[in-house]
Amino acid sequence: MLASRFLQIHWLTSYPATLLNRDDSGLAKRLPFGDTLRTRVSSQCLKRHWRTVDDEWSLRRIGPEMAVRSRETPERRILPAMQEANAGTADVMAATVAAIAEQLYGSKAAEQSKRPVLLLGEPEIRYLSDKAIEIGKAAKDANAADQAVKTLFKEERGNLSALRRQGVLNAGLETALFGRMVTSDPEANTDAAIHVAHAFTVHGEAAESDYFTVIDDLAHEGSSACTAGLFDTELSSGLFYGYVVVDVPLLVSNLGDDVGLGSKVVQHLIHLIAKVSCGAKRGSTAPYSYAELMLVETGDRQPRTLANAFRQPVNARSSAAFVALFNHIEKLDRTYGAHEIRGHLSIDQGDLPGSTLMSLDDLAIFAAKMVATMPTAK
């Protein structure tokens, strides 16, 4: 069986009348591609919904603990732990937490709004909380607590990197999957094993402004005052192409060389991509949809997106997108050779070159089994 250096996941999902991902103006995000403006969903938006969803295939049900992404972790997690342990006076606890925040977030830590958002695993947060409690109980005053924190970080040359050397999963499962950057401690950085592209519509953008009113239920019947406000929002619809690459050896390495855990992660990931929708304005658009096509490829050569199948826009039907994808794969195979093992699902029951049609459950199992064929991680 072919060694699974990379696992590539392509999918098509259609959404009507939604606002999946907004820009800073509250409008749908866009992307110019092939001389046509498309509606876009950012990779950050996709990953956040895959990370945070709570269902039978959620990441938190795999086993390892997750992480917390925040600029307020010292105040919201470490300080309460110190208070519960009665670790010193209020001044000592405040000084300890402030010093830890400075070590984690840098010189601008005093202003929370200027801190970078830092991803910390639950084991790391417990470790820092335990150290803070020790310092708080031992320190005679606030100055002593501040110096103790600085000494702690200096002697261990960065708590996060020291803890990471004990195991990448101390930084949380999502760090092992999607990576993290810690500017205050580069040794604690983790390379992402899962690479996520921005999803975009296979056709030109399709959007309109939706004007709506808020009605005052208690206004006098027939009075113009019953309309309490007139507002507008943007709605869009479209058939989106998405693309994910899993660096299998790096994934397994980030998971402590646990191939079984890597297989389980990939199985969950396939279900999440196929069935988890992201979207703003959920209450007024119900932006829920399942993938109409998903293709999984596994092989040992450099991955390549299939986005160029839609450089020339197609109409917003899964059958039309399917034909474009089929033709593009055939051209790639003819030019570069067919080296990948493929499996796919399709609500239209269509065939793709060199691929086996499967159900979602079977496709997820197929992808998970591919992880077991990976080369030995170095």
Side-chain angles (χ1 to χ4, degrees), residues 10-14 239-242 273-274 290-295 310 318 321-323 325-326 329 343-348 350-352 357 363:
H10 316 262
W11 73 94
L12 294 169
T13 305
S14 178
L239 178 61
F240 289 81
Y241 167 78
I273 292 173
Y290 287 174
E292 299 185 2
L293 168 74
M294 177 176 282
L295 169 65
F310 311 110
S318 60
F322 197 100
V323 170
L325 203 64
F326 184 103
I329 293 174
H344 73 282
L345 66 82
S346 169
I347 63 171
D348 295 320
D351 294 325
L352 287 173
L357 183 64
L363 189 63

Side-chain angles (χ1 to χ4, degrees), residues 170-189:
N170 282 321
L173 178 61
E174 58 201 87
T175 298
L177 307 188
F178 302 114
R180 76 170 175 188
M181 182 177 69
V182 184
T183 55
S184 61
D185 186 5
E187 290 187 25
N189 293 345

Side-chain angles (χ1 to χ4, degrees), residues 2-132:
L2 191 65
S4 300
R5 175 69 174 85
F6 293 105
L7 196 72
Q8 301 181 78
I9 307 164
H10 316 262
W11 73 94
L12 294 169
T13 305
S14 178
Y15 294 94
T18 57
L19 185 57
L20 295 176
N21 191 197
R22 290 179 282 192
D23 63 15
D24 55 350
S25 301
L27 303 176
K29 288 189 175 181
R30 290 168 166 83
L31 171 75
F33 183 60
D35 297 328
T36 303
L37 198 62
R38 319 296 181 96
T39 307
R40 171 174 64 94
V41 177
S42 71
S43 57
Q44 296 93 328
C45 181
L46 292 168
K47 287 185 287 187
R48 173 165 177 77
H49 286 83
W50 298 338
R51 290 195 315 262
T52 59
V53 69
D54 186 15
D55 63 15
E56 62 177 320
W57 294 105
S58 68
L59 296 178
R60 67 184 67 254
R61 297 198 180 194
I62 292 176
E65 292 182 282
M66 298 294 285
V68 175
R69 189 182 305 268
S70 177
R71 56 164 60 102
E72 301 179 16
T73 302
E75 292 79 10
R76 292 183 177 271
R77 295 294 298 276
I78 297 176
L79 180 58
M82 294 185 71
Q83 292 171 335
E84 185 176 353
N86 195 26
T89 64
D91 288 346
V92 166
M93 288 191 286
T96 302
V97 168
I100 291 175
E102 184 176 0
Q103 294 296 321
L104 292 176
Y105 298 103
S107 59
K108 297 181 179 180
E111 297 183 65
Q112 289 185 6
S113 62
K114 294 184 178 181
R115 294 177 185 175
V117 176
L118 184 61
L119 184 66
L120 292 174
E122 291 289 355
E124 291 176 327
I125 295 173
R126 284 198 300 272
Y127 174 82
L128 292 174
S129 297
D130 290 343
K131 290 295 183 181

Side-chain angles (χ1 to χ4, degrees), residues 203-345:
H203 49 80
E205 64 168 329
E208 71 167 6
S209 293
D210 177 40
Y211 292 89
F212 61 95
T213 59
V214 175
I215 304 300
D216 189 332
D217 291 337
L218 299 182
H220 188 274
E221 184 176 355
S223 169
S224 61
C226 67
T227 300
L230 176 65
F231 306 92
D232 69 283
T233 187
E234 184 172 54
L235 296 178
S236 65
S237 60
L239 178 61
F240 289 81
Y241 167 78
Y243 178 55
V244 165
V245 176
V246 181
D247 184 331
V248 177
L250 181 57
L251 172 66
V252 173
S253 175
N254 282 359
L255 296 174
D257 294 327
D258 189 334
V259 175
L261 182 57
S263 296
K264 194 171 183 179
V265 164
V266 167
Q267 184 179 12
H268 279 241
L269 182 65
I270 295 295
H271 280 273
L272 293 174
I273 292 173
K275 295 185 291 187
V276 173
S277 299
C278 54
K281 300 184 73 66
R282 290 184 173 184
S284 58
T285 64
Y288 306 114
S289 189
Y290 287 174
E292 299 185 2
L293 168 74
M294 177 176 282
L295 169 65
V296 174
E297 301 181 286
T298 180
D300 197 36
R301 63 179 176 178
Q302 178 186 291
R304 80 284 176 271
T305 179
L306 298 178
N308 288 334
F310 311 110
R311 189 165 48 197
Q312 179 68 36
V314 301
N315 64 43
R317 291 184 294 112
S318 60
S319 57
F322 197 100
V323 170
L325 203 64
F326 184 103
N327 292 337
H328 189 65
I329 293 174
E330 275 201 325
K331 292 176 182 178
L332 288 174
D333 286 353
R334 185 169 61 248
T335 305
Y336 295 101
H339 297 283
E340 286 76 25
I341 296 176
R342 296 171 181 148
H344 73 282
L345 66 82

